[in-house]
Amino acid sequence: DAGVIQSPRHEVTEMGQEVTLRCKPISGHNSLFWYRQTMMRGLELLIYFNNNVPIDDSGMPEDRFSAKMPNASFSTLKIQPSEPRDSAVYFCASSLGAVNTGELFFGEGSRLTVL
Amino acid sequence: QKEVEQNSGPLSVPEGAIASLNCTYSDRGSQSFFWYRQYSGKSPELIMSIYSNGDKEDGRFTAQLNKASQYVSLLIRDSQPSDSATYLCAGESGSARQLTFGSGTQLTVLP
């Protein structure tokens, strides 16, 4: 199995630009998570999907952030417009079943730098 | 107060020693706890899970859970330089029982 695949691995953009991060979960996993990691705030959950349906988006910072999961094999996290404080590593993770009964498998992350 | 708190360290131990990593949590309803290891520049990977009070051993790793004290720990015996990484404690919480991570403890094992 190829694992969780994220793209792009690195993104450098200017303030105000739209950023789209992509994720392909492990086949057969029915839960997908978007996390953001910074030195100051650690690893924060942004949004959690189960069977393609958003279950908890309370971690999404503000209206500039949106996430979609149109099918079981693809999800996007979009930031529009981007700001320098959005600079972080964004991880996508998937799991088989409920999170409290299994492990999360993380992608390699997308490192975002907003200038 | 964060839902999962860790001593951010950093922690340094000599090779062969026991490394002790600690974590406390605030949600008394949490039932499942996990320790993830994250090497520099890499993604977190699960190394231990624990669901019941007491100890759980897996090779050189022992996870300990005390629900009365809301305390989780990870012991690494015979520490190796390859154990040098950031260790993240995580617990399930919230209405959707999602995984909440602590800020991590950076461990360095000195040869």
Side-chain angles (χ1 to χ4, degrees):
Chain A
D1 200 322
V4 176
I5 299 173
Q6 291 187 246
S7 64
R9 291 293 311 282
H10 302 274
E11 175 91 3
V12 180
T13 191
E14 292 187 345
M15 182 174 63
Q17 297 298 306
E18 177 180 297
V19 174
T20 299
L21 307 178
R22 298 172 177 80
C23 176
K24 176 179 169 55
I26 293 173
S27 177
H29 283 192
N30 57 3
S31 293
L32 183 139
F33 308 82
W34 282 100
Y35 283 89
R36 176 173 68 177
Q37 187 173 41
T38 61
M39 288 293 292
M40 289 296 293
R41 301 177 66 86
L43 197 60
E44 302 174 284
L45 178 65
L46 300 178
I47 188 167
Y48 157 39
F49 291 89
N50 185 251
N51 292 323
N52 311 338
V53 176
I55 302 300
D56 184 356
D57 65 354
S58 60
M60 296 286 265
E62 50 200 87
D63 292 345
R64 297 185 299 106
F65 285 69
S66 62
K68 295 181 179 180
M69 191 165 186
N71 57 61
S73 59
F74 184 66
S75 177
T76 60
L77 178 67
K78 185 175 293 186
I79 308 172
Q80 167 64 20
S82 58
E83 296 183 3
R85 59 187 168 132
D86 302 330
S87 298
V89 179
Y90 290 81
F91 286 105
C92 176
S94 69
S95 72
L96 181 63
V99 65
N100 59 351
T101 60
E103 67 177 289
L104 298 189
F105 292 83
F106 284 81
E108 294 185 312
S110 294
R111 181 175 295 275
L112 173 65
T113 302
V114 183
L115 303 174
Chain B
Q1 179 189 8
K2 289 193 68 174
E3 292 180 5
V4 178
E5 302 254 13
Q6 288 183 255
N7 184 342
S8 60
L11 175 66
S12 292
V13 300
E15 184 175 355
I18 295 175
S20 178
L21 306 165
N22 305 311
C23 173
T24 59
Y25 61 94
S26 60
D27 185 349
R28 283 198 170 274
S30 296
Q31 297 293 320
S32 307
F33 301 90
F34 307 86
W35 283 98
Y36 280 74
R37 177 177 61 199
Q38 186 175 23
Y39 291 114
S40 179
K42 301 296 185 182
S43 57
E45 57 178 340
L46 180 70
I47 54 172
M48 289 287 286
S49 59
I50 187 165
Y51 307 99
S52 305
N53 272 330
D55 296 357
K56 179 182 178 182
E57 186 175 316
D58 184 2
R60 295 185 297 110
F61 298 92
T62 298
Q64 299 174 318
L65 173 59
N66 184 324
K67 291 186 178 181
S69 301
Q70 297 177 242
Y71 180 89
V72 188
S73 66
L74 179 71
L75 300 177
I76 306 175
R77 291 181 300 282
D78 188 24
S79 295
Q80 301 297 310
S82 58
D83 296 326
S84 298
T86 295
Y87 289 80
L88 301 164
C89 173
E92 47 88 16
S93 64
S95 57
R97 313 315 293 172
Q98 67 271 24
L99 213 54
T100 300
F101 286 83
S103 56
T105 299
Q106 185 178 349
L107 171 67
T108 301
V109 180
L110 304 170

